[in-house]
Amino acid sequence: ILQLKFVGTPWAAGTVFIDNLYFYKESAASTFDDGLLLNGDFQAGSDSWIVGVDDNAPAPVVTASGNTYYSVSVANAGNPWEVNVSQKVEIVDGKTYTLTFDAWSNVNRDIIAGIGLSADPWSNDAKTVSINTSRQTYSVTVSAVGWGAPNARVLFDLGAAAGDVNIDEVSLFEGNGNMVVNGNFENGATPWIVGVDDNAPANVVNTNGNNHYYVNVAAAGNPWEVNM
């Protein structure tokens, strides 16, 4: 903003009084769904996010262009867990979860993202994710096998490589994030059908060893006349 300008007409006489000026942008309602987590978009600052497993150590956040997100700079590479951000959440033994988040850095580097216990024996399932200088959305599927706790956690271990790490819009959902069966058609048409007829399997072909759905629409008509 260069100026807030009030311009009068040159021929108008008299005195003008101006008071109580406001200039702001109306905040848009957030539609972000963080699933099982709290404050996954960090718009409430550090709320619910901690360093390691210390409930009294709020995670560092920054605000830029009206958006708040987690941000840390790792000066030197060390053990992955030496730089960490976590949120405690119940993880149920035997359940599979999908962890989704946005991340970016000032360099190309790896981070570790997943779920785990917040106390000994520190059981976890975490994946290595490669991030870069472009903000992107990442997703990992993780499972609790033989462990779980009401105060387990979502974890990001960041200390194994040098460079900045920025994280935003973290969500955790139960399940593997995919409710569709045979989405790659490698099992043929099952359970894909024409329209809603359970006895009319969709047309699946194989090209160069890859199964996929195929149809040739000869003439345009109503959208639903060709459906799967």
Side-chain angles (χ1 to χ4, degrees):
I1 298 172
L2 299 181
Q3 292 181 334
L4 291 177
K5 183 182 290 186
F6 300 87
V7 181
T9 52
W11 57 86
T15 302
V16 174
F17 298 93
I18 298 175
D19 195 8
N20 294 338
L21 299 179
Y22 297 88
F23 184 85
Y24 64 96
K25 180 179 180 180
E26 194 76 49
S27 297
S30 174
T31 58
F32 175 71
D33 185 358
D34 46 19
L36 300 174
L37 300 178
L38 299 173
N39 189 33
D41 59 3
F42 297 93
Q43 292 311 295
S46 297
D47 182 37
S48 301
W49 292 99
I50 57 177
V51 176
V53 294
D54 185 352
D55 294 329
N56 297 311
V61 298
V62 299
T63 300
S65 302
N67 179 50
T68 302
Y69 54 91
Y70 170 83
S71 183
V72 70
S73 181
V74 182
N76 299 295
N79 294 314
W81 60 86
E82 291 177 341
V83 181
N84 168 279
V85 59
S86 298
Q87 181 176 143
K88 292 184 179 177
V89 63
E90 182 176 12
I91 299 295
V92 180
D93 186 4
K95 295 282 188 179
T96 296
Y97 298 87
T98 298
L99 174 63
T100 303
F101 57 94
D102 287 2
W104 66 102
S105 177
N106 61 334
V107 295
N108 295 339
R109 54 155 297 164
D110 291 344
I111 66 174
I112 295 174
I115 57 175
L117 296 180
S118 57
D120 191 60
W122 306 105
S123 304
N124 68 85
D125 185 10
K127 313 296 184 185
T128 298
V129 178
S130 298
I131 67 173
N132 53 47
T133 57
S134 174
R135 176 170 176 160
Q136 298 183 49
T137 300
Y138 301 89
S139 182
V140 296
T141 300
V142 288
S143 299
V145 180
W147 58 271
N151 64 338
R153 58 180 177 144
V154 162
L155 64 91
F156 294 91
D157 285 339
L158 315 170
D164 297 346
V165 178
N166 305 296
I167 297 174
D168 198 5
E169 298 199 346
V170 186
S171 64
L172 183 71
F173 290 93
E174 188 177 314
N176 63 5
N178 184 11
M179 299 176 67
V180 175
V181 176
N182 190 31
N184 60 5
F185 298 97
E186 292 309 301
N187 291 327
T190 305
W192 295 94
I193 57 177
V194 176
V196 293
D197 186 351
D198 292 329
N199 297 312
N203 186 48
V204 174
V205 299
N206 185 287
T207 303
N208 298 324
N210 178 52
N211 281 0
H212 57 93
Y213 171 79
Y214 170 80
V215 68
N216 180 20
V217 183
N222 295 313
W224 59 87
E225 290 177 346
V226 181
N227 170 279
M228 78 137 175

